[in-house]
PDB file of all heavy atoms in Angstrom:
ATOM      1  N   ILE L 161     -17.402  -5.719  39.366  1.00 98.00           N
ATOM      2  CA  ILE L 161     -17.397  -5.076  38.120  1.00 98.00           C
ATOM      3  C   ILE L 161     -17.924  -6.220  37.100  1.00 98.00           C
ATOM      4  O   ILE L 161     -17.248  -7.228  36.932  1.00 98.00           O
ATOM      5  CB  ILE L 161     -15.945  -4.649  37.598  1.00 98.00           C
ATOM      6  CG1 ILE L 161     -15.430  -3.507  38.552  1.00 98.00           C
ATOM      7  CG2 ILE L 161     -16.053  -4.048  36.150  1.00 98.00           C
ATOM      8  CD1 ILE L 161     -14.406  -3.937  39.510  1.00 98.00           C
ATOM      9  N   ALA L 162     -19.007  -6.019  36.548  1.00 98.00           N
ATOM     10  CA  ALA L 162     -19.686  -6.997  35.598  1.00 98.00           C
ATOM     11  C   ALA L 162     -19.851  -6.514  34.223  1.00 98.00           C
ATOM     12  O   ALA L 162     -20.406  -5.452  34.113  1.00 98.00           O
ATOM     13  CB  ALA L 162     -21.073  -7.449  36.345  1.00 98.00           C
ATOM     14  N   ALA L 163     -19.478  -7.347  33.332  1.00 97.00           N
ATOM     15  CA  ALA L 163     -19.711  -7.025  31.907  1.00 97.00           C
ATOM     16  C   ALA L 163     -20.862  -7.941  31.487  1.00 97.00           C
ATOM     17  O   ALA L 163     -20.891  -9.134  31.755  1.00 97.00           O
ATOM     18  CB  ALA L 163     -18.488  -7.392  31.025  1.00 97.00           C
ATOM     19  N   SER L 164     -21.842  -7.384  30.791  1.00 96.00           N
ATOM     20  CA  SER L 164     -23.059  -8.129  30.462  1.00 96.00           C
ATOM     21  C   SER L 164     -23.856  -7.428  29.441  1.00 96.00           C
ATOM     22  O   SER L 164     -23.674  -6.296  28.998  1.00 96.00           O
ATOM     23  CB  SER L 164     -23.974  -8.199  31.774  1.00 96.00           C
ATOM     24  OG  SER L 164     -25.085  -9.049  31.474  1.00 96.00           O
ATOM     25  N   HIS L 165     -24.782  -8.298  28.814  1.00 92.00           N
ATOM     26  CA  HIS L 165     -25.835  -7.773  27.852  1.00 92.00           C
ATOM     27  C   HIS L 165     -27.019  -7.631  28.598  1.00 92.00           C
ATOM     28  O   HIS L 165     -28.154  -7.227  28.067  1.00 92.00           O
ATOM     29  CB  HIS L 165     -26.004  -8.694  26.669  1.00 92.00           C
ATOM     30  CG  HIS L 165     -24.884  -8.725  25.741  1.00 92.00           C
ATOM     31  ND1 HIS L 165     -24.473  -7.610  25.029  1.00 92.00           N
ATOM     32  CD2 HIS L 165     -24.038  -9.681  25.279  1.00 92.00           C
ATOM     33  CE1 HIS L 165     -23.468  -7.938  24.156  1.00 92.00           C
ATOM     34  NE2 HIS L 165     -23.139  -9.080  24.340  1.00 92.00           N
ATOM     35  N   ASP L 166     -27.195  -8.067  29.825  1.00 95.00           N
ATOM     36  CA  ASP L 166     -28.445  -8.242  30.672  1.00 95.00           C
ATOM     37  C   ASP L 166     -28.789  -6.826  31.205  1.00 95.00           C
ATOM     38  O   ASP L 166     -28.242  -6.396  32.230  1.00 95.00           O
ATOM     39  CB  ASP L 166     -28.273  -9.226  31.743  1.00 95.00           C
ATOM     40  CG  ASP L 166     -29.456  -9.531  32.429  1.00 95.00           C
ATOM     41  OD1 ASP L 166     -30.555  -8.874  32.198  1.00 95.00           O
ATOM     42  OD2 ASP L 166     -29.561 -10.562  33.231  1.00 95.00           O
ATOM     43  N   LEU L 167     -29.753  -6.188  30.529  1.00 96.00           N
ATOM     44  CA  LEU L 167     -30.144  -4.837  31.030  1.00 96.00           C
ATOM     45  C   LEU L 167     -30.781  -4.782  32.320  1.00 96.00           C
ATOM     46  O   LEU L 167     -30.914  -3.870  32.956  1.00 96.00           O
ATOM     47  CB  LEU L 167     -30.964  -4.147  29.913  1.00 96.00           C
ATOM     48  CG  LEU L 167     -30.349  -4.028  28.484  1.00 96.00           C
ATOM     49  CD1 LEU L 167     -31.325  -3.371  27.599  1.00 96.00           C
ATOM     50  CD2 LEU L 167     -29.077  -3.349  28.585  1.00 96.00           C
ATOM     51  N   ASP L 168     -31.298  -6.007  32.833  1.00 95.00           N
ATOM     52  CA  ASP L 168     -31.924  -6.127  34.023  1.00 95.00           C
ATOM     53  C   ASP L 168     -30.936  -5.748  35.129  1.00 95.00           C
ATOM     54  O   ASP L 168     -31.377  -5.365  36.272  1.00 95.00           O
ATOM     55  CB  ASP L 168     -32.520  -7.485  34.237  1.00 95.00           C
ATOM     56  CG  ASP L 168     -33.711  -7.838  33.417  1.00 95.00           C
ATOM     57  OD1 ASP L 168     -34.396  -6.909  32.891  1.00 95.00           O
ATOM     58  OD2 ASP L 168     -34.028  -9.101  33.380  1.00 95.00           O
ATOM     59  N   LEU L 169     -29.687  -5.986  34.916  1.00 96.00           N
ATOM     60  CA  LEU L 169     -28.704  -5.600  35.928  1.00 96.00           C
ATOM     61  C   LEU L 169     -28.594  -4.273  36.320  1.00 96.00           C
ATOM     62  O   LEU L 169     -27.935  -3.722  37.301  1.00 96.00           O
ATOM     63  CB  LEU L 169     -27.328  -6.293  35.615  1.00 96.00           C
ATOM     64  CG  LEU L 169     -27.186  -7.750  35.578  1.00 96.00           C
ATOM     65  CD1 LEU L 169     -25.880  -8.216  34.946  1.00 96.00           C
ATOM     66  CD2 LEU L 169     -27.312  -8.296  37.080  1.00 96.00           C
TER      67      LEU L 169
END
Side-chain angles (χ1 to χ4, degrees):
I161 299 107
S164 182
H165 289 300
D166 191 345
L167 301 182
D168 290 342
L169 289 171

